[in-house]
Amino acid sequence: MAKNADPSPATGQTDPLAVLGALPGVPESVDSVRQAVDKVYGHRVMRRRSNEVASEAALRGARGSAALAGADWPLEEIRRRSDFSADDDARTVGAALRLTAESGQLLSIWRQSPVQALARLHLVAAGGAADEPTVGRPRVAGEKVDEPLVGIAEIPLPEPAEVAARLDGLTGLLRAGSAAPALVVAAVVHGELLCLRPFGSFNGPVARAAERIVLVGSGLDPKSICPAEVGHAELGRAGYLKALEGYASGTPEGMAEWIGHCGRALELGVRESVAVCEALQRGAA
């Protein structure tokens, strides 16, 4: 992914993720994200009502992820609904809600086997909506991929053999450990999964759930109160895809653009949670 990388603290081998953390503009994005996260974690409401903030962040994050996948429902509609099986949009929202709930339970599995955790995320997302043989495993030759959003970006769909090799490479990087900031690691996981589209369906929601797992597991957002999905949705599908094309290009400029985009999304998610804290403090939520 990057040349002349620094040694990994865990293995002494090269650390390509750390190189990405030094690209122009990325350290500034990392610092800005850290300041934003520190602000919400320092809010007085977090001392006593962090669980309420986390619940609201999960709901709003799921709504944002579903919106990017094409099901842009009002927040109150999601609160009101109990059945998410009526149509494709409802199933998309239901998948996003299930993924948000499940991601918090997968940290230990993620650390040991990211691929196993991804398979579990896909199983949860599919919820019986996909053909049983294709659920919970990477696609094989001849299987179609239903991912119209990424298809709009005209990012080539890798063959299953390439998907398997790149997933192995990503797993190796994650298990080896990296000196790279959490934002960089989360952005790479998110971008790589979107470009690979390893499953036949729900790749976008799964990629965003994996980003959430990295942010929580890294310690940047241990209480899962910073819903980056909110920011990704607010920045819009066109901006999301343009930044993803930068990642897919593999150029330093493109990679930095994607990481910066993910940073801005996370900051907007933090802003959302700060607003929730303020509302709780006023007794308005």
Side-chain angles (χ1 to χ4, degrees):
M1 185 177 298
K3 297 180 180 180
N4 301 322
D6 296 326
S8 162
T11 66
Q13 298 176 350
T14 56
D15 185 358
L17 297 179
V19 170
L20 298 180
L23 291 174
V26 173
E28 290 80 4
S29 293
V30 169
D31 288 345
S32 185
V33 163
R34 167 52 71 186
Q35 291 175 27
V37 172
D38 286 348
K39 179 179 179 181
V40 69
Y41 270 87
H43 198 287
R44 60 186 301 177
V45 165
M46 287 294 296
R47 299 173 196 166
R48 296 172 288 106
R49 306 180 71 176
S50 62
N51 288 341
E52 293 174 71
V53 179
S55 295
E56 192 64 23
L59 185 67
R60 295 176 186 225
R63 182 212 166 272
S65 187
L68 282 171
D72 192 359
W73 286 15
L75 192 60
E76 291 310 314
E77 175 69 9
I78 298 175
R79 292 189 203 278
R80 183 183 67 81
R81 285 285 191 106
S82 58
D83 179 11
F84 294 95
S85 61
D87 52 36
D88 286 347
D89 279 3
R91 285 188 286 272
T92 296
V93 174
L97 289 167
R98 292 191 299 272
L99 283 170
T100 301
E102 185 71 16
S103 60
Q105 311 301 315
L106 289 178
L107 279 177
S108 61
I109 296 175
W110 179 267
R111 291 185 177 115
Q112 295 173 10
S113 175
V115 172
Q116 184 181 346
L118 290 170
R120 173 62 186 171
L121 287 172
H122 186 247
L123 184 66
V124 167
D131 294 336
E132 191 64 31
T134 68
V135 173
R137 64 156 174 78
R139 56 188 168 84
V140 298
E143 290 180 347
K144 296 181 180 179
V145 175
D146 179 17
E147 199 63 52
L149 176 61
V150 181
I152 293 172
E154 298 183 353
I155 295 171
L157 181 68
E159 291 296 326
E162 181 182 348
V163 171
R166 287 172 62 175
L167 282 176
D168 284 345
L170 180 63
T171 294
L173 287 175
L174 294 172
R175 295 186 65 183
S178 173
L183 171 64
V184 172
V185 180
V188 167
V189 167
H190 185 169
E192 189 72 357
L193 292 174
L194 275 177
C195 289
L196 292 180
R197 288 151 283 174
F199 303 108
S201 58
F202 297 107
N203 288 288
V206 166
R208 291 184 287 276
E211 179 186 46
R212 176 181 285 268
I213 291 174
V214 173
L215 293 172
V216 172
S218 68
L220 178 64
D221 181 24
K223 295 182 182 293
S224 195
I225 61 168
C226 305
E229 306 95 327
V230 168
H232 284 302
E234 187 171 336
L235 290 169
R237 299 173 89 189
Y240 187 68
L241 292 176
K242 181 178 182 297
L244 181 63
E245 288 174 338
Y247 177 89
S249 74
T251 65
E253 296 81 8
M255 298 293 286
E257 180 184 2
W258 171 250
I259 295 167
H261 188 88
C262 289
R264 290 189 294 276
L266 185 54
E267 288 186 66
L268 289 170
V270 169
R271 187 181 69 180
E272 187 89 354
S273 287
V274 170
V276 169
C277 288
E278 294 293 334
L280 288 170
Q281 185 168 282
R282 295 192 306 268

